[in-house]
Amino acid sequence: MVTNKAHQRVAKHERKRTTSDVHDGIEYNKKIRKINKEFLEKVTPPPSPSDATKSSDGGSEPDVLPTDPACDPDHPVKITFSDVSSAAFNIKNGVLRTPCNKSANLSKLLDMELYFKKEYLQVTGSFKERGARYALSRLSKEEKERGVIAASAGNHALALSYHGQQLGIPVNVVMPVFAPLMKIGMCRSYGANVILKGDNIGKAKEHAMRLVAEKKFKYINGYDHPDILAGQGTIGLEILEQVPDVDAVVVPVGGAGLIAGIAVAVKTLKPHIQVIAVESDTCPSYTEALKAGKPVMASVRSTLADGLAVPMVGGNALATLEGLVDKHVLVCEESTALSILRLIEMEKAVVEGGGAVGLAAMITGKLPELRGKKVVTILTGGNIDTTVLGRTIERGLAVDGRLIRLEVVVSDRPGGIAELASQIAHMGASIKDIFHERAWIATDVFSVRVKVVAETRDRQHVAELEEMLRSKYDDVSP
C-alpha cells in the first residue's frame, strides 16, 4: 500500500509539473515572438515598390501575371476583310500557295464534288505558317530585336520557329514537358529557344507570360491574335480563286482562329457560300461558347484531333465569327480515325486528326445538305506521330469493318484450333492475332476459348464469316 501511494504521489506531481512546463513554455514563446516583432519593426525598412512584384516564395516571378493586350476577352477585336487582304499581300512570298484539288474517289463515294485544300504541304506541315508569318512581319523594329514568345506544344511553335528564322527574329517557345520529342527537335533546328515548362499548355503559358514581364518579349497567341486570324484568312481568298463556284467551305475548329479568318474572307466576297464548323466531340469549346454567348472553359479529353484540343475558344475569334457560321457539327473519335484511313488510302495523304474532322463530318452523314454540291474542306496539317498513326489506322480498319475480333469455343483436342484457323482462311480472312485460354472458360474442360483478330474485306465479308462460324460452332461471340 505504501508503495502504491508513493507511486500516486509521484505521478500526480509529474502531471502537475508537466502541465506547468507547457504553460510556461507557451508564455515564454509569446514573449519571444513579441520581442522579435518589435525588433524587426525597428530595423526592417519599408518594402520598395520592386519588392511588391516578387512572389511569396522569394523568387523573381510576379504573383500577378501580365495579360495579353492583343487578346483581351473584355474588349475583343473583330478583324475585317482589309486585314485579311493586307495579310495576303504581306505573306505571299513567305508561304506556299497550297493546291486545292478535287478528290475523284471521295467525290463519288460521298455524292458531291469534294475538294481538299492541302495545308499539310506547308514547310512545317500546317496552316499555322500563314498567321505566324504575318504576325512576325507586323512587329515593330524594337519588338523584332527583343524577340517573340509563345506557348505551344505543336504546329504554332513549329511555324513561329521556322518563320522567325527566315525573318531573323529571335523566337522563344515554351512547351509542356510532354511535348513530342520530334517537335521539340524541329523547333530547335529552326533556331528557336525551346523552354520545357509545366505539365500542360496552361502552365506553359503562365511561364511564357512571366518571361514577357521579365524580358519584354512580344507574346503571340497561336489562335486568337488578330494578326494570326488575318493570316489564316488568306486560305479563304485562295479557295475562292481556286474553286470560284464553291457552295460550301467546311472548316475544322479548335481555338476558332482559322474559321474566323476564312469566314471573313469568304462571306465578304460571296455571302451565299456556306461556312460550316466541325469540332471533335472530345473538346467542344466552340459549342460551349455558343451556348454561353462568350468563351468558356470546356472539358477536354484525349483525342486524335490533338491540334483542336483548345479548352476555350479565343475571344477575338468568337467576336469575329458572329453571324458568319451557317452550321456547326461535332464528330467522334471513330469517324476521325476512319477519315484518316480514307485519306491515306484514297488520297495518299497523311493528315493529322484535326485536319480530318471535316471529312469525318461528311463520311458520317452529318452534312446531308451538301450532296450534289461543290464543297471544299481544309486538310489543316500532317504532323501526326508515327506511333499514333499506326494505332489510328487499326482503329479506322475496325470502324470500317475490316478488322474484327471474335471469340470461338472449340474442342480442346489436337487440331481443334488449327481447324478453326483453316475455316477462317478458307473464307478469305487473314488472322492478325490469335490467343486461347482454358482456365476461365465456363464450359467443359475439354473445350478452349479462342480469341481471334482477323482482317476482312468489308462488313459484308464480316457477316459471311460470322454466319459460317456459327454454323460450325455453338459458341461464337464478337
Side-chain angles (χ1 to χ4, degrees):
M1 292 295 294
V2 175
T3 304
N4 288 338
K5 288 182 179 180
H7 278 301
Q8 289 174 3
R9 284 196 300 270
V10 171
K12 183 178 180 181
H13 176 70
E14 286 180 348
R15 285 196 298 272
K16 183 178 180 182
R17 185 183 63 191
T18 302
T19 304
S20 175
D21 286 346
V22 171
H23 178 73
D24 291 345
I26 292 173
E27 292 301 318
Y28 175 78
N29 287 335
K30 285 181 179 179
K31 291 179 181 179
I32 291 297
R33 283 197 295 270
K34 182 179 179 182
I35 294 170
N36 188 49
K37 181 180 178 182
E38 291 173 351
F39 173 76
L40 289 174
E41 287 175 350
K42 291 179 181 179
V43 301
T44 304
S48 64
S50 61
D51 291 336
T53 64
K54 293 191 176 182
S55 63
S56 58
D57 62 359
S60 59
E61 295 178 343
D63 288 328
V64 180
L65 296 176
T67 57
D68 183 0
C71 303
D72 183 354
D74 296 325
H75 302 90
V77 176
K78 289 186 177 183
I79 68 163
T80 65
F81 182 75
S82 63
D83 296 321
V84 179
S85 298
S86 175
F89 178 79
N90 274 273
I91 70 173
K92 63 181 180 180
N93 295 322
V95 300
L96 296 178
R97 178 187 171 90
T98 54
C100 190
N101 304 129
K102 180 180 177 180
S103 169
N105 292 327
L106 286 169
S107 292
K108 183 178 180 180
L109 180 69
L110 298 171
D111 190 24
M112 65 178 69
E113 284 190 58
L114 180 59
Y115 292 76
F116 290 123
K117 181 64 171 166
K118 299 180 178 179
E119 285 297 297
Y120 65 90
L121 295 177
Q122 296 287 355
V123 174
T124 62
S126 86
F127 74 97
K128 291 284 189 178
E129 288 193 26
R130 296 172 181 269
R133 180 80 180 199
Y134 185 52
L136 289 171
S137 71
R138 295 261 294 165
L139 297 174
S140 67
K141 181 180 178 182
E142 292 76 15
E143 289 171 336
K144 288 179 180 179
E145 290 174 352
R146 283 196 297 266
V148 300
I149 192 168
S152 170
N155 292 336
H156 179 55
L158 288 169
L160 208 61
S161 300
Y162 173 72
H163 286 283
Q165 183 185 60
Q166 296 296 303
L167 297 171
I169 299 172
V171 172
N172 302 275
V173 178
V174 184
M175 302 177 108
V177 293
F178 66 78
L181 294 177
M182 180 194 72
K183 292 181 180 178
I184 294 172
M186 288 300 295
C187 288
R188 284 176 173 157
S189 74
Y190 295 139
N193 174 35
V194 177
I195 303 162
L196 300 178
K197 192 75 173 181
D199 56 2
N200 59 57
I201 195 66
K203 295 293 184 182
K205 184 176 180 180
E206 286 180 8
H207 186 69
M209 296 311 294
R210 289 189 178 101
L211 293 177
V212 168
E214 293 174 13
K215 307 292 186 181
K216 307 304 179 185
F217 295 136
K218 174 73 172 181
Y219 186 82
I220 299 180
N221 184 300
Y223 59 87
D224 201 40
H225 192 289
D227 292 339
I228 293 289
L229 272 59
Q232 321 306 28
T234 61
I235 295 174
L237 296 179
E238 290 182 12
I239 288 173
L240 295 182
E241 292 173 359
Q242 294 165 318
V243 191
D245 53 347
V246 62
D247 295 306
V249 180
V250 181
V251 188
V253 175
L258 173 63
I259 193 172
I262 289 176
V264 167
V266 170
K267 288 293 189 179
T268 300
L269 295 177
K270 296 188 177 182
H272 67 279
I273 295 176
Q274 280 189 291
V275 175
I276 299 172
V278 183
E279 281 186 295
S280 169
D281 64 5
T282 59
C283 185
S285 54
Y286 180 59
T287 300
E288 295 301 318
L290 291 178
K291 290 178 183 177
K294 62 181 180 180
V296 293
M297 293 295 293
S299 61
V300 180
R301 306 194 309 272
S302 295
T303 174
L304 287 173
D306 57 342
L308 305 183
V310 179
M312 185 167 68
V313 298
N316 297 332
L318 188 65
T320 299
L321 282 171
E322 186 176 0
L324 299 182
V325 176
D326 297 285
K327 183 177 181 178
H328 80 279
V329 297
L330 298 169
V331 296
C332 64
E333 288 288 276
E334 288 76 11
S335 61
T336 302
L338 180 59
S339 297
I340 292 173
L341 178 64
R342 288 279 187 269
L343 288 166
I344 290 172
E345 292 184 327
M346 294 187 171
E347 296 299 309
K348 308 301 180 280
V350 177
V351 177
E352 62 189 77
V357 296
L359 178 59
M362 290 176 267
I363 284 178
T364 53
K366 294 289 183 74
L367 303 172
E369 68 273 20
L370 298 184
R371 290 185 180 276
K373 301 287 183 68
K374 189 169 286 189
V375 181
V376 173
T377 188
I378 298 96
L379 304 181
T380 54
N383 293 319
I384 183 170
D385 288 343
T386 308
T387 53
V388 174
L389 179 61
R391 294 196 296 269
T392 302
I393 291 172
E394 287 192 345
R395 175 76 67 87
L397 289 170
V399 173
D400 204 25
R402 293 157 59 190
L403 193 67
I404 63 164
R405 180 183 59 193
L406 292 170
E407 293 187 11
V408 185
V409 176
V410 304
S411 173
D412 192 15
R413 59 175 175 76
I417 295 177
E419 182 181 348
L420 172 64
S422 178
Q423 296 284 355
I424 293 173
H426 182 71
M427 290 294 295
S430 174
I431 294 177
K432 311 303 290 184
D433 197 8
I434 190 166
F435 171 77
H436 64 279
E437 61 180 32
R438 295 179 177 86
W440 294 276
I441 188 169
T443 58
D444 60 80
V445 295
F446 302 104
S447 298
V448 58
R449 182 178 296 278
V450 181
K451 298 180 180 181
V452 178
V453 176
E455 191 172 3
T456 52
R457 292 189 298 272
D458 50 33
R459 295 187 184 280
Q460 179 62 33
H461 190 201
V462 172
E464 293 171 358
L465 177 61
E466 289 180 344
E467 183 181 2
M468 181 277 295
L469 291 174
R470 288 194 172 95
S471 70
K472 296 182 178 296
Y473 300 96
D474 294 331
D475 191 343
V476 179
S477 59

